[in-house]
């Protein structure tokens, strides 16, 4: 950020809820079906059809509210937000009014040291999270003369999470978005798929001169469908504002669209052109009332939250903050790690997950669930190393790739390939003697005090033993030989 300026960001996140059916009808809530396969009179907006509220969506909203430490409003009312668009069959969207079911929560992130001076944890306010329904999708590509409309998404439950204007850099916005993404996926209320639009984000961005009390004019940037683009769009927008502010140009509040191809934002509509949504309470739905009992039931069913899990990983398995954070990259990854850690050594399990397993995931572009590697087998591999049956290098380079290819259990692979670690003293002594005899000059140097050359001998013996000899024994026997 240019000195003398401060950027202020507030995110609005739309979370598609993983309910079985839609928000106000019994149609299935699934992605990728044939166009309009999941529609009915309610989500098509046919006259006379009546909406019925999905209780599962309410339960999911409550679980997010409780996870955010928010206030649950025991009475909130649905409203009609009216506008005309081809993919909005009713001519209005049902959303919540001035009172949202979830209000005043917060999410803690590490502050950005570049703008705050240190990385101390900072609470980012959540103003509200309200329930609403999604619109359908227009397809403009299919024809030059017509727009095709798919209403499978019309009426899919959404939770809109409105964050306070508390973020001060693109990095903080990124961390905040990651934290919420992790929260909703760990809670199991959203699949978090940004490409399919299940987790979407609009960024409100303004810039002010450092020390100014009032916020600058904000723009709302839409169409951000990856974490990277959120960051890029905020950086681009902040830089654009600074240029305007330095030129002394005034500009107005507006909505802009992010163009991922050009890496720029383009004006969509200005505040003057803002729509009048003619909000009014939805007459076909009763107010949403929540009882204390319902709140307690959801509270009891809450899974362990990511932050708690991270602290437990550090405590129980002796991991660093960084390792624990990396293991929480997804709920599946964290759960898999725990399965391995319980059956083998926790620290080793973390090393494998963040080393070989992550590399395999990157190389194949898969998720841990589809890698085809059983947690029990990875645990067995770690145990074979711990028991010194095979050495770590052999495990990584010879057994693990075969395990991934499904060539058997770690034990079977080690046996079949003759990979068992050699811990036989006589065999290693013989190798050591051979290597020493072959390198008299280096030996003289070691004896003269060249400590560094010892590593050379270790390497030579390991090589002579085809990488299978026990490295600790090699060291021990070499040392004894040097001392002679
Ligand atoms: P609206 O009434 O248009 O919905 P809100 O005041 O509710 O506007 O804010 C919507 C979003 O914009 C929130 O996420 C909020 O944090 C953010 N926001 C509000 N003012 C600013 C600002 N000056 N700069 C950046 N973000 C802002
Ligand atoms: Zn329907
Ligand atoms: Mg608002």
């Amino acid at each position: 950020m240019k000195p003398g300026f401060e950027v202020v960001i507030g995110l609005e996140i739309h979370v598609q809820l993983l309910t079985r059916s839609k928000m106000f009808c019994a149609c299935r809530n699934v992605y990728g079906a044939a166009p309009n396969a999941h529609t009915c009179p309610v989500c098509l907006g046919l006259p006379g059809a009546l909406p019925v509220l999905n209780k599962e969506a309410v339960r999911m909203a409550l679980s997010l509210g409780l996870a955010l430490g928010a206030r649950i409003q025991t009475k909130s009312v649905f409203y009609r937000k009216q506008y005309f668009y081809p993919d909005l069959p009713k001519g209005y969207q049902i959303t919540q009014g001035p009172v949202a079911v979830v209000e005043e929560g917060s999410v803690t992130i590490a502050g950005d040291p570049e703008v705050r001076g240190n990385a101390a944890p900072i609470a980012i306010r959540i103003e509200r999270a309200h329930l609403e329904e999604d619109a359908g999708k227009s397809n403009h590509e299919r024809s030059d003369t017509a727009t095709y409309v798919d209403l499978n998404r019309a009426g899919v439950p959404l939770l809109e999470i409105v964050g306070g204007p508390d973020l001060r850099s693109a990095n903080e916005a990124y961390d905040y978005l990651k934290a919420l993404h992790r929260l909703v996926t760990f809670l199991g209320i959203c699949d978090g798929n940004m490409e399919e639009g299940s987790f979407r984000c609009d960024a409100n961005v303004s810039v002010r001169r450092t020390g100014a009390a009032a916020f600058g004019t904000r723009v709302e940037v839409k169409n951000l469908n990856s974490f990277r683009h959120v960051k890029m769009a905020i950086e681009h927008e902040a830089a654009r504002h600074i240029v305007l502010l330095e030129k002394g140009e005034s500009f107005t509040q507006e909505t802009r669209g992010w163009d991922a191809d050009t890496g720029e934002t383009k004006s969509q509509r200005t505040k003057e052109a803002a729509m009048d949504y003619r909000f009014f309470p939805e007459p076909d739905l009763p107010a949403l009332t929540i009882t204390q009992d319902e709140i307690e039931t959801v509270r009891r069913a809450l899974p362990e939250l990511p932050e708690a899990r991270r602290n437990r990983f550090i405590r129980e398995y002796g991991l660093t903050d960084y390792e624990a954070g990396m293991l929480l990259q997804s709920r599946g990854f964290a759960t898999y790690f725990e399965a391995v850690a319980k059956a083998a050594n926790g620290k080793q399990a973390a090393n494998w997950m963040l080393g070989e397993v992550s590399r395999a995931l990157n190389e194949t572009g898969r998720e841990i669930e589809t890698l085809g590697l059983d947690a029990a087998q990875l645990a067995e591999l770690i145990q074979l190393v711990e028991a010194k049956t095979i050495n770590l290098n052999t495990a990584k380079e010879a057994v693990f790739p075969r395990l991934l290819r499904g060539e058997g259990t770690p034990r079977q692979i080690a046996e079949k390939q003759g990979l068992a670690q050699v811990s036989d003293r006589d065999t290693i002594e013989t190798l050591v003697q051979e290597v020493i005899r072959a390198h008299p000059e280096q030996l003289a140097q070691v004896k003269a005090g060249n400590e560094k050359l010892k590593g050379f001998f270790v390497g030579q013996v390991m090589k002579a033993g085809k990488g299978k000899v026990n490295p600790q024994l090699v060291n021990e026997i070499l040392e004894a030989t040097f001392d002679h």
Side-chain angles (χ1 to χ4, degrees):
M1 177 62 34
K2 193 158 182 168
F5 292 95
E6 180 180 55
V7 59
V8 172
I9 306 142
L11 300 186
E12 291 169 280
I13 304 172
H14 282 93
V15 171
Q16 258 182 21
L17 297 175
L18 271 177
T19 53
R20 273 158 299 180
S21 55
K22 292 189 185 179
M23 188 68 168
F24 301 113
C25 62
C27 288
R28 282 185 63 200
N29 171 18
V30 285
Y31 181 86
N36 301 304
H38 300 296
T39 53
C40 75
V42 174
C43 57
L44 290 176
L46 299 186
L50 288 174
V52 178
L53 180 61
N54 184 333
K55 289 219 175 81
E56 212 183 351
V58 176
R59 190 180 54 70
M60 290 179 175
L62 294 185
S63 76
L64 178 78
L66 293 175
L68 293 173
R71 184 148 51 89
I72 305 296
Q73 289 287 14
T74 50
K75 188 173 179 197
S76 53
V77 174
F78 286 101
Y79 272 59
R80 287 186 182 181
K81 179 180 180 178
Q82 339 227 18
Y83 60 95
F84 178 76
Y85 209 74
D87 58 24
L88 189 73
K90 295 198 294 289
Y92 59 86
Q93 175 198 31
I94 304 180
T95 180
Q96 294 205 283
V99 177
V101 61
V102 170
E103 294 187 352
E104 291 173 21
S106 70
V107 160
T108 301
I109 61 165
D112 183 350
E114 272 188 38
V115 292
R116 297 192 197 260
N118 62 50
I122 175 145
I124 306 300
R125 286 171 297 174
I126 306 285
E127 294 176 356
R128 57 186 273 155
H130 57 257
L131 284 164
E132 59 186 32
E133 57 176 340
D134 212 341
K137 265 188 214 161
S138 297
N139 184 327
H140 306 282
E141 273 90 58
R142 195 161 153 177
S143 154
D144 287 337
T145 52
T147 293
Y148 283 74
V149 177
D150 174 8
L151 295 175
N152 283 341
R153 201 179 68 176
V156 162
L158 290 178
L159 197 52
E160 178 175 349
I161 306 169
V162 184
D166 296 345
L167 302 161
R168 293 292 176 270
S169 73
N171 283 333
E172 287 193 354
Y174 182 91
D175 288 349
Y176 166 84
L177 196 63
K178 277 268 174 200
L180 273 173
H181 185 268
R182 207 159 78 174
L183 196 54
V184 296
T185 51
F186 274 63
L187 285 172
I189 64 174
C190 177
D191 68 16
N193 192 328
M194 289 182 90
E195 262 163 54
E196 290 179 2
S198 336
F199 186 88
R200 328 197 274 268
C201 166
D202 301 332
N204 295 273
V205 184
S206 67
V207 175
R208 62 178 166 184
R209 292 196 186 260
T210 309
F215 285 149
T217 304
R218 77 168 143 114
V219 302
E220 182 175 0
V221 187
K222 297 218 174 258
N223 197 22
L224 304 170
N225 52 14
S226 78
F227 287 104
R228 204 165 57 88
H229 285 299
V230 171
K231 208 160 158 175
M232 283 162 69
I234 291 171
E235 273 160 6
H236 169 269
E237 203 48 33
R240 197 179 65 84
H241 284 209
I242 290 172
V243 170
L244 292 172
L245 289 172
E246 285 193 317
K247 279 200 262 180
E249 281 179 29
S250 69
F251 54 104
T252 52
Q253 190 175 324
E254 61 178 341
T255 303
R256 299 176 72 88
W258 171 248
D259 184 336
D261 293 331
T262 62
E264 289 178 348
T265 60
K266 287 195 197 87
S267 185
Q268 288 182 337
R269 66 182 128 87
T270 58
K271 200 185 177 191
E272 290 81 65
M275 281 186 269
D276 173 5
Y277 293 115
R278 294 172 293 125
F279 272 104
F280 73 86
E282 165 64 62
D284 291 338
L285 283 167
L288 172 58
T289 54
I290 314 277
T291 65
Q292 283 307 320
D293 262 8
E294 284 168 319
I295 296 175
E296 290 317 314
T297 305
V298 173
R299 198 194 301 279
R300 276 195 301 272
L302 279 183
E304 184 180 33
L305 299 181
E307 269 315 295
R309 200 161 191 186
R310 173 196 176 105
N311 292 329
R312 192 169 57 74
F313 279 7
I314 295 172
R315 218 175 46 234
E316 268 178 35
Y317 303 113
L319 306 182
T320 63
D321 200 39
Y322 174 78
E323 288 169 331
M326 292 295 288
L327 290 168
L328 289 188
Q329 57 191 262
S330 79
R331 186 177 164 183
F333 198 79
T335 304
Y336 189 100
F337 157 72
E338 279 227 271
V340 180
K342 286 222 165 82
N345 169 299
K347 190 79 179 177
Q348 292 306 324
N351 287 344
W352 276 90
M353 292 298 291
L354 302 179
E356 309 306 306
V357 175
S358 294
R359 195 164 312 132
L361 293 177
N362 285 339
E363 278 165 10
T364 55
R366 297 203 183 170
E367 299 291 326
I368 189 75
E369 292 87 350
T370 53
L371 187 62
L373 176 64
D374 193 34
Q377 302 228 323
L378 180 56
E380 184 183 313
L381 180 56
I382 294 172
Q383 284 162 344
L384 289 181
V385 177
E386 290 265 294
K388 302 200 180 1
T389 309
I390 54 175
N391 71 29
L392 185 59
N393 250 337
T394 306
K396 286 186 180 169
E397 276 154 33
V399 183
F400 188 71
R402 293 187 167 92
L403 194 55
L404 283 182
R405 292 198 296 265
E407 293 181 16
T409 69
R411 197 175 291 279
Q412 288 166 345
I413 293 169
E415 272 164 21
K416 199 159 133 208
Q417 306 289 328
L419 296 169
Q421 174 165 276
V422 176
S423 294
D424 175 56
R425 224 163 237 285
D426 290 346
T427 311
I428 298 178
E429 294 261 14
T430 311
L431 290 175
V432 166
Q433 291 313 323
E434 276 168 17
V435 168
I436 293 232
R437 234 175 291 126
H439 301 92
E441 271 165 45
Q442 284 89 340
L443 179 66
Q445 288 186 42
V446 170
K447 294 218 173 198
N450 187 339
E451 288 286 322
K452 276 195 197 145
L453 258 186
K454 285 182 173 176
F456 163 78
F457 280 98
V458 176
Q460 291 297 312
V461 178
M462 292 301 291
K463 202 169 143 198
K466 301 197 174 63
K468 292 185 291 188
V469 282
N470 181 333
Q472 272 128 327
L473 265 182
V474 171
N475 263 317
E476 212 180 291
I477 294 169
L478 267 173
E479 283 296 338
T481 315
F482 294 148
D483 285 346
H484 257 56

